Amino acid sequence: MRAVTEAANAIPLLIPALGERLGLDELLMHLDGILFTGSPSNVEPYRYNGDPSTPGTLHDAARDATTLALIPRAIGAGIPVFGICRGFQEVNVAMGGTLTQRLHEVPGLLDHRDDAEQPLAVQYAPAHDVTLEPGGFLARLAGATHARVNSLHAQGVERLAPDLIVEARAPDGLVEAFRVKDAPRFALAVQWHPEWQVMSDSFSRSMFAAFGAASRERAQHK
């Protein structure tokens, strides 16, 4: 919420996870942008025809019912969308992609998890570089070809949805950021957490600033 206020210069409102009971189409009429945040929970695998999760995996069926329905509606309505971590994975699933649930068990992939026993400052510290796609939105924002990001996820993109375009990859080739092809307005998602100490990182701050600018532009053209 602080990142939305300080870096996007916007007023954050929380959307309750009530699924279709919210009246999603009416809700969207009152919003200028939507941030899909991270969470300790994972998207339920049946949502993308995946195998059952390992026992003990946290899920949030109410959030799934809310976000997976909101994402395509918001993008289609030209409402700016910004997905972070779980939100990144939700956008991929909502658009028809799939997820790998345990990246650390896949040969050739890095262990992208954080150490939950460490202080937050260590968990959210920069963990690896990402390569920004030449000519992409993030490369233009960063003014660079690489960026250093944190890493706090066990699962990630397996198959990228057809209408998503890669914006960044981890050293092991894993998709770490994408944008929505031909979206009317800002529609970006990243696997890392740019909201962490956002005002002290120019690249993170620029993402939220672009999201905020797109949301204000949307507000002027409702």
Side-chain angles (χ1 to χ4, degrees):
M1 298 303 97
R2 184 176 295 124
V4 169
T5 302
E6 297 178 354
N9 193 26
I11 299 173
L13 301 173
L14 301 184
I15 300 173
L18 298 175
E20 296 288 347
R21 287 177 292 166
L22 278 173
L24 299 179
D25 292 324
E26 182 178 358
L27 172 67
L28 291 176
M29 295 172 61
H30 301 283
L31 302 176
D32 302 313
I34 306 179
L35 173 67
F36 294 92
T37 67
S39 169
S41 65
N42 290 335
V43 176
E44 289 193 288
Y46 85 86
R47 294 283 188 173
Y48 51 89
N49 294 319
D51 294 331
S53 297
T54 302
T57 300
L58 293 177
H59 292 125
D60 188 342
R63 172 165 171 160
D64 289 349
T66 305
T67 58
L68 299 181
L70 265 178
I71 288 166
R73 283 180 168 90
I75 293 170
I79 298 173
V81 166
F82 190 9
I84 291 175
C85 199
R86 189 196 209 269
F88 163 91
Q89 295 167 9
E90 288 170 337
V91 175
N92 186 48
V93 171
M95 302 294 286
T98 63
L99 303 175
T100 296
Q101 297 181 51
R102 298 172 67 81
L103 296 170
H104 53 285
E105 295 180 354
V106 179
L109 294 183
L110 299 172
D111 187 343
H112 289 260
R113 297 173 297 175
D114 59 304
D115 184 349
E117 300 300 319
Q118 295 294 322
L120 285 179
V122 175
Q123 293 181 51
Y124 282 83
H128 63 72
D129 285 347
V130 290
T131 300
L132 307 178
E133 290 294 309
F137 178 74
L138 288 182
R140 293 195 300 273
L141 275 186
T145 58
H146 293 79
R148 191 80 175 161
V149 303
N150 51 33
S151 185
L152 299 92
H153 59 106
Q155 60 179 23
V157 169
E158 179 185 49
R159 185 185 74 250
L160 194 66
D163 289 332
L164 303 181
I165 298 175
V166 175
E167 282 283 336
R169 292 185 184 272
D172 56 7
L174 186 72
V175 175
E176 289 268 334
F178 54 70
R179 71 180 189 276
V180 180
K181 180 181 179 181
D182 298 329
R185 290 188 176 87
F186 184 103
L188 176 74
V190 299
Q191 181 63 84
W192 64 91
H193 286 268
E195 79 280 11
W196 176 257
Q197 297 183 346
V198 64
M199 299 306 288
S200 65
D201 183 87
S202 60
F203 182 41
S204 298
R205 194 167 62 249
S206 69
M207 282 184 267
F208 275 92
F211 173 57
S215 298
R216 286 186 290 277
E217 193 272 338
R218 151 76 182 179
Q220 294 171 0
H221 295 88
K222 280 184 178 177

